[in-house]
Amino acid sequence: MTDSPVFVSESESAALVDDDLALAAAREAFLATAHGSTFPVVIGSSSTPGTRFTLKSGSAGDLVGVKIGSFWPDNTDLPRHSSTIVLLDPATGRLRAVVEAAAANAYRTAAADALAVRTLARDDSRTLTVIGTGHQALHEARAVSRVRPIDRVLVVGRRADAARRFAADVAAATGLPVEAVDTRTGVAEADVLVTATTAREPLFDASWVRPGTHVSAMGVDGPGKQELPVALHDRAKLFCDLPEQSTTIGEFQHAPSAAPVALGAVLAGTAPGRTSPEDVTVFDSSGFALQDLTLAAALLHRHTVPGGTE
Amino acid sequence: MTDSPVFVSESESAALVDDDLALAAAREAFLATAHGSTFPVVIGSSSTPGTRFTLKSGSAGDLVGVKIGSFWPDNTDLPRHSSTIVLLDPATGRLRAVVEAAAANAYRTAAADALAVRTLARDDSRTLTVIGTGHQALHEARAVSRVRPIDRVLVVGRRADAARRFAADVAAATGLPVEAVDTRTGVAEADVLVTATTAREPLFDASWVRPGTHVSAMGVDGPGKQELPVALHDRAKLFCDLPEQSTTIGEFQHAPSAAPVALGAVLAGTAPGRTSPEDVTVFDSSGFALQDLTLAAALLHRHTVPGGTE
């Protein structure tokens, strides 16, 4: 194969991505965790203090490549997060494609959440609570509300004005009634509870969580970060993307004895998921390269075959 | 800055690169080791056994990015080694450029050697000996013979037929008289001795090296690889690209007490190089990301400004 590499620009990928594409790519990535490989994550920086880039690489089947994620905190006109996915040609090792995916990255992360909710939450989940009022939290609300018969969204933020503004944004994105509430109310009334924050300590009390609730912790991807109370783990069935990563840089770094089950194993039918409507299920997402590679491949396919789908 | 990313294809970069460009880029990279950063190297693979990719990332000044090197041993029509350099925009963290650089990578590595020779070898060096008969060895012979008044090249290979063929290639590339010789003759007659092999044990006896010789060890970039006899280090002044890397995955992994000096410090005038015509100088190259970033920037500049030079 000596095909020229394909370049998909940020504006192209932003126009191509949608929740269905991202969800199908997420499912493929989680299934691939059983046989694929992920390699050590690099955290680097530019010569400007405070900037950060991460390299997440992996391979599975005919996918091999790396996602370069960047965080430039001083960006004002542009988003602070960017993402570039590089795919190598599995047959030759040469460059196959470069996909700019800053906007698509938010869909990718939210799709992992939606996949976990579709796999683990009760079928009759109606109330979705989101803790966190940032850009990613909005994507989580939209993606999750599509996979269950959600008819009400509760939002929880530290600042009342941010929570009200976020509630309006979620209402616009989902078409659902949305209410800003206090943390205890949000947790206690949730069928599905999503945390999407940069917290470094538990956001709520484990005793507030009702039996039957599904919890997705989306914000923890590094040492010291924490969203969930450790006491919740004792009452819950625990799931994650990559167990080894989740117990080192994910939510379960705070619960050394936790043995979370890979969501991919549940999807593949090799491990049980929820077994009772009373189960509390917890899913921890710390993010892995195969999500980026399957996302890039899906975008590439849609880019190459206009109107094509996965 | 919201400029579109620039893509430089393999055929473009192969046409743009030359020894002068690579040497200037190497000098910039080695000078940047004093203030720049390099991050941990990742070694990964595709799902095909035997394939390998490496991620080398770094930043210095307004350069920040990663080189994806790949080695696909089963390639037949295409080279087994490929290289893709990704530069991020230092102002925004977004993608700035992608440079395919398989052919250019050989110039980059040879330029580090030429820079070391220009900095450390005697001005009157006339005999160049190359141990190794591969693709990279040819680039080393060409690049090094340009920076000293080399008037004779000796080549050493394990197989006589390969050595003869390589001698003809070197003669064509340099216009110099070239002779295939045994290892002892090659080492003993060298003013500049370059090793460019995949050896895992010393290639020659330290006692064969004459006073005043410069030795560049280009082949060692991983655990277990070795080209030089440890006894040589006791008689020589030791230099390398990155001391920490050289003593872990480079030649000096085999000499735990060695304290090689960064070539960049010699270039910057903050450390002495050769101080006598009798000195034996040794340079170990294991390769670092800043070489790739400065190479990509130079190619990009020449690509953007046709006819432009560094």
Side-chain angles (χ1 to χ4, degrees):
Chain A
M1 299 168 66
T2 54
D3 293 340
S4 291
V6 179
F7 177 67
V8 182
S9 72
E10 178 60 32
S11 60
E12 289 172 322
S13 71
L16 289 168
V17 73
D18 62 31
D19 286 305
D20 288 333
L21 178 145
L23 187 58
R27 183 167 186 279
E28 190 185 341
F30 277 79
L31 283 169
T33 57
H35 58 84
S37 300
T38 55
F39 304 106
V41 175
V42 175
I43 301 180
S45 61
S46 79
S47 50
T48 303
T51 61
R52 186 178 76 230
F53 69 81
T54 61
L55 307 179
K56 289 187 169 178
S57 59
S59 59
D62 68 351
L63 293 175
V64 51
V66 55
K67 190 259 286 274
I68 306 165
S70 68
F71 177 70
W72 255 240
D74 294 340
N75 281 0
T76 49
D77 294 345
L78 288 172
R80 298 187 298 168
H81 287 277
S82 301
S83 175
T84 301
I85 307 166
V86 179
L87 295 180
L88 300 183
D89 184 327
T92 66
R94 298 193 87 141
L95 182 63
R96 174 183 166 199
V98 178
V99 180
E100 286 191 289
N105 192 66
Y107 283 81
R108 156 231 188 249
T109 299
D113 188 3
L115 183 69
V117 169
R118 195 172 73 173
T119 309
L120 297 170
R122 294 192 337 269
D123 286 343
D124 62 349
S125 297
R126 296 193 175 277
T127 297
L128 165 64
T129 297
V130 178
I131 304 182
T133 58
H135 175 69
Q136 188 60 40
L138 180 63
H139 281 271
E140 304 293 328
R142 192 198 62 243
V144 167
S145 64
R146 298 175 74 248
V147 299
R148 282 293 179 265
I150 301 297
D151 57 16
R152 178 174 76 135
V153 183
L154 306 180
V155 302
V156 176
R158 277 176 303 179
R159 298 198 323 276
D161 57 339
R164 275 195 304 271
R165 199 162 47 232
F166 181 67
D169 290 344
V170 173
T174 64
L176 295 170
V178 183
E179 192 180 346
V181 298
D182 66 274
T183 309
R184 183 165 189 159
T185 300
V187 172
E189 301 198 3
D191 296 314
V192 172
L193 173 63
V194 173
T195 58
T197 73
T198 56
R200 302 180 75 86
E201 53 187 41
L203 294 164
F204 56 86
D205 191 301
S207 68
W208 301 346
V209 178
R210 288 187 303 182
T213 304
H214 170 78
V215 182
S216 286
M218 303 305 295
V220 175
D221 61 355
K225 292 186 176 181
Q226 181 173 13
E227 297 187 304
L228 306 185
V230 173
L232 182 64
H233 307 334
D234 298 332
R235 324 177 21 205
K237 293 192 166 166
L238 308 182
F239 303 88
C240 67
D241 44 17
L242 296 185
E244 189 177 295
Q245 182 170 295
S246 181
T247 53
T248 50
I249 64 165
E251 190 64 44
F252 298 123
Q253 66 182 282
H254 306 292
S257 64
V261 170
L263 183 64
V266 180
L267 289 167
T270 58
R274 168 180 295 275
T275 57
S276 151
E278 301 296 304
D279 283 347
V280 174
T281 51
V282 170
F283 170 71
D284 173 48
S285 164
S286 48
F288 58 103
L290 304 183
Q291 293 173 269
D292 304 299
L293 303 187
T294 58
L295 176 73
L299 290 167
L300 203 58
H301 181 75
R302 194 170 279 188
H303 181 263
T304 311
V305 185
T309 58
E310 303 335 290
Chain B
M1 300 167 65
T2 53
D3 293 339
S4 291
V6 178
F7 177 67
V8 181
S9 72
E10 179 60 33
S11 59
E12 289 173 322
S13 70
L16 289 168
V17 73
D18 62 32
D19 287 305
D20 287 334
L21 178 145
L23 188 58
R27 183 168 187 279
E28 190 186 340
F30 278 78
L31 283 169
T33 57
H35 58 85
S37 300
T38 55
F39 305 105
V41 174
V42 175
I43 300 179
S45 61
S46 81
S47 51
T48 302
T51 61
R52 187 178 76 230
F53 69 82
T54 61
L55 306 179
K56 289 186 170 180
S57 58
S59 58
D62 67 351
L63 293 175
V64 51
V66 56
K67 190 259 285 274
I68 306 166
S70 68
F71 176 70
W72 255 239
D74 293 340
N75 280 0
T76 48
D77 295 346
L78 288 172
R80 299 187 298 168
H81 287 277
S82 301
S83 176
T84 301
I85 307 166
V86 179
L87 295 180
L88 301 183
D89 185 327
T92 65
R94 298 193 88 143
L95 182 63
R96 173 183 167 200
V98 178
V99 179
E100 285 191 289
N105 192 66
Y107 284 80
R108 156 232 187 247
T109 300
D113 188 3
L115 184 69
V117 169
R118 194 172 73 173
T119 309
L120 297 170
R122 294 191 336 270
D123 284 344
D124 60 350
S125 298
R126 295 192 175 278
T127 297
L128 165 65
T129 297
V130 178
I131 304 183
T133 58
H135 174 71
Q136 187 61 39
L138 181 61
H139 281 271
E140 304 294 328
R142 193 198 61 244
V144 167
S145 64
R146 299 174 75 247
V147 299
R148 281 294 180 267
I150 301 297
D151 57 16
R152 179 173 75 137
V153 183
L154 306 179
V155 303
V156 176
R158 277 175 303 179
R159 298 197 324 277
D161 57 339
R164 275 195 304 272
R165 199 163 46 234
F166 181 67
D169 290 345
V170 173
T174 63
L176 295 170
V178 183
E179 191 180 345
V181 298
D182 66 273
T183 309
R184 182 163 189 160
T185 301
V187 172
E189 301 199 4
D191 295 313
V192 173
L193 172 62
V194 173
T195 59
T197 74
T198 57
R200 301 180 76 86
E201 53 188 40
L203 294 164
F204 56 86
D205 191 302
S207 67
W208 300 346
V209 177
R210 288 187 303 182
T213 303
H214 171 77
V215 181
S216 286
M218 303 306 294
V220 175
D221 61 356
K225 294 186 176 180
Q226 182 174 12
E227 298 188 303
L228 305 186
V230 173
L232 183 63
H233 307 334
D234 297 332
R235 332 175 18 206
K237 292 193 167 166
L238 308 182
F239 303 88
C240 68
D241 44 17
L242 296 185
E244 189 178 296
Q245 183 170 295
S246 181
T247 53
T248 51
I249 64 165
E251 190 63 44
F252 298 122
Q253 65 182 282
H254 306 292
S257 63
V261 170
L263 183 64
V266 181
L267 290 167
T270 59
R274 169 181 294 276
T275 56
S276 151
E278 301 296 304
D279 283 347
V280 173
T281 50
V282 170
F283 170 70
D284 173 48
S285 165
S286 49
F288 58 103
L290 303 183
Q291 292 173 270
D292 305 299
L293 304 188
T294 58
L295 176 73
L299 289 167
L300 202 59
H301 180 75
R302 194 171 277 188
H303 181 262
T304 311
V305 184
T309 59
E310 304 334 291

